[in-house]
Amino acid sequence: MFDGVSGNLVGGDVLIDGDRVVGVSESPVGDEPGRETQVIEGRGRVLMPGMSDAHVHLVGNANTYVDMVTGSESHIAVNGLAEARNMLLRGFTAVRDMAGDTSSIKSAIDRGQFQGPRIYPSQAAISQTSGHGDFGFVYDTPTALAGVESRAESIGFMRVANGEAQVLASVREQLKKGASQIKVMVGGGAASMYDPLYTVQFTPAELRAAVDAATDYGTYVATHVYNVTGIHRAVEAGVKSIEHGHLADEPTIAMLAEREVWLSMQPFALGDHHYPDADRAGKDREICTGTDSVYEWAKKHGVKVAWGTDLLLEPQLAARQSEMAARLGDHYSNVDALRMLTSGNAELFRLAGERDPYRQAPFGVVAKGAWADLLLVDGNPLEDLDLLADPGKNLPVIVKDGEIVKNAL
């Protein structure tokens, strides 16, 4: 067993009762006499906690651009529900959704009606006009000037807000709709059309308003941002998680460690995303150039780093989630990568506090009292992290909430 924390494997038994782990022992834990017990014999394989992805877009990852623009909301949601099961079958038993109307998908999964990971929804990501989440066309009148909502807003993927009052209302709207944490855009991005990467978005007062509203609900704000100025502005406002940060410099990364702010990073490489125009493709290339150095500085300064994928609008590439998990081994030792994929990410998710929908038990660990989210690996991921890149072949058993989702033994 890899328990999600220790760097050593130990042999033993794990006993599950209902949706929890009730016994972990190096000697046989046994069962209750007279009670029917299903036994899965590991036979030299490695048991580990279910993995998590700290930055997914469930409906965005499951739908093409055309789906998002022309599909009905039920079409978009059904595709998201199907992709939720696919993620679970890749071994991801928990995800943090960073933009999209996923609270209903989460509820259906939690009720046991459909299979999928635990979902920490952000609901709509919040953007200023002309910011990273403004997908209205340039000839459309912005909502702030009495225009109509863009398609991204009408399907609950984004919310455009300007000024403290609108930011407060937008944060509270997402909390009302079931958000466990709040996502705010603080700098430019590759996928959006109007904002170069150097731009800084939302004023300090607007960002503090978002943080205050989230704090009042016992949770936190995570921010999309790549550039140095935006990262500093977000941290000064009280943001707890920097999403991306690929264009940071070393002093900024060191500051994150000093302020105990999370860096939710993705091991981006060219080819992870494709864009139809030279401008956005160029932004993507610039972002990818920062991956190696930011990871090195984060390790050097002891930053709390989470792992995610941020795949979007290319359903045919959704399985790259597993490849990107294995790619984490390019930057960290196998054991540190596995910790990040399990107990490390879970620590970030827990910042949701009272908004944490799964706070009744820990996850990301193999421990008594934890949620019974477990993977059996055909091989030793501490020696070969690439095993995670092919879950269909190398994950013969997947258990989530004590339910055997897959058993190929």
Side-chain angles (χ1 to χ4, degrees):
M1 293 180 289
F2 166 67
D3 65 4
V5 179
S6 171
N8 301 314
L9 295 182
V10 296
D13 281 5
V14 174
L15 183 64
I16 297 170
D17 190 356
D19 55 14
R20 311 289 174 93
V21 173
V22 297
V24 179
S25 175
E26 292 186 28
S27 58
V29 295
D31 53 32
E32 187 176 321
R35 186 176 182 186
E36 183 179 351
T37 303
Q38 182 170 355
V39 177
I40 298 177
E41 175 55 64
R43 298 190 187 283
R45 297 176 177 87
V46 172
L47 186 76
M48 64 175 283
M51 296 182 291
S52 55
D53 188 330
H55 195 118
V56 303
H57 298 291
L58 191 57
V59 295
N61 194 24
N63 290 278
T64 65
Y65 177 79
V66 173
D67 289 327
M68 296 289 273
V69 171
T70 65
S72 66
E73 290 186 53
S74 59
H75 173 88
I76 292 169
V78 167
N79 283 346
L81 195 58
E83 177 56 23
R85 185 173 187 273
N86 292 338
M87 286 187 180
L88 181 59
L89 290 175
R90 295 183 202 118
F92 294 96
T93 55
V95 298
R96 194 175 60 138
D97 193 278
M98 300 310 289
D101 187 8
T102 57
S103 62
S104 294
I105 295 174
K106 170 193 173 297
S107 296
I109 292 170
D110 288 348
R111 289 194 299 267
Q113 295 173 301
F114 297 92
Q115 291 181 330
R118 304 178 189 280
I119 299 175
Y120 283 74
S122 298
Q123 291 301 104
I126 301 169
S127 167
Q128 68 175 36
T129 296
S130 78
H132 181 55
D134 182 358
F135 288 92
F137 294 111
V138 70
Y139 47 78
D140 290 332
T141 302
T143 53
L145 301 176
V148 299
E149 291 181 343
S150 68
R151 170 67 174 177
E153 288 187 90
S154 68
I155 61 174
F157 196 60
M158 298 290 166
R159 172 59 70 203
V160 175
N162 297 277
E164 295 173 58
Q166 287 192 1
V167 169
L168 285 171
S170 297
V171 170
R172 291 165 180 164
E173 177 191 28
Q174 308 324 310
L175 294 166
K176 178 181 178 180
K177 291 183 175 181
S180 54
Q181 65 282 321
I182 297 298
K183 167 83 172 294
V184 177
M185 309 300 198
V186 183
S192 43
M193 296 176 283
Y194 313 122
D195 53 335
L197 293 176
Y198 65 79
T199 60
V200 183
Q201 300 170 15
F202 285 119
T203 65
E206 289 172 320
L207 288 178
R208 285 194 296 271
V211 169
D212 287 345
T215 302
D216 285 346
Y217 263 70
T219 189
Y220 69 101
V221 173
T223 54
H224 161 104
V225 61
Y226 291 104
N227 64 63
V228 167
T229 304
I231 293 172
H232 280 268
R233 181 175 292 186
V235 172
E236 288 301 320
V239 164
K240 298 297 183 185
S241 175
I242 298 299
E243 306 297 312
H244 314 312
H246 291 68
L247 302 182
D249 57 18
E250 185 174 359
T252 299
I253 297 300
M255 179 269 295
L256 295 181
E258 293 166 6
R259 300 289 289 268
E260 297 185 339
V261 174
W262 280 83
L263 177 63
S264 176
M265 183 79 169
Q266 303 76 36
F268 285 150
L270 290 175
D272 288 337
H273 303 89
H274 301 90
Y275 297 101
D277 57 273
D279 179 60
R280 283 182 283 181
K283 291 194 286 185
D284 180 55
R285 284 194 298 272
E286 185 177 352
I287 289 165
C288 290
T289 62
T291 300
D292 292 345
S293 57
V294 171
Y295 270 128
E296 286 303 312
W297 295 330
K299 288 189 291 185
K300 176 181 176 181
H301 294 283
V303 177
K304 290 185 175 182
V305 181
W307 171 88
T309 50
D310 193 31
L311 297 171
L312 188 65
L313 300 178
E314 295 181 279
Q316 72 277 12
L317 298 180
R320 187 161 289 176
Q321 182 181 36
S322 299
E323 297 173 24
M324 292 177 73
R327 194 187 301 165
L328 194 54
D330 295 342
H331 306 281
Y332 289 86
S333 68
N334 287 357
V335 66
D336 285 340
L338 286 168
R339 285 187 186 119
M340 194 181 298
L341 289 164
T342 55
S343 62
N345 273 0
E347 185 181 349
L348 170 59
F349 291 18
R350 292 303 194 194
L351 291 184
E354 291 298 311
R355 297 292 294 181
D356 182 348
Y358 309 108
R359 61 186 179 277
Q360 299 87 350
F363 67 95
V365 292
V366 182
K368 185 177 180 179
W371 293 116
D373 301 344
L374 304 167
L375 311 176
L376 197 61
V377 185
D378 199 358
N380 184 355
L382 287 175
E383 295 178 351
D384 184 5
L385 201 64
D386 285 338
L387 291 167
L388 303 180
D390 191 350
K393 176 182 177 183
N394 298 320
L395 298 182
V397 176
I398 298 172
V399 177
K400 186 247 176 172
D401 249 353
E403 177 189 354
I404 299 172
V405 176
K406 176 186 176 182
N407 185 358
L409 296 183

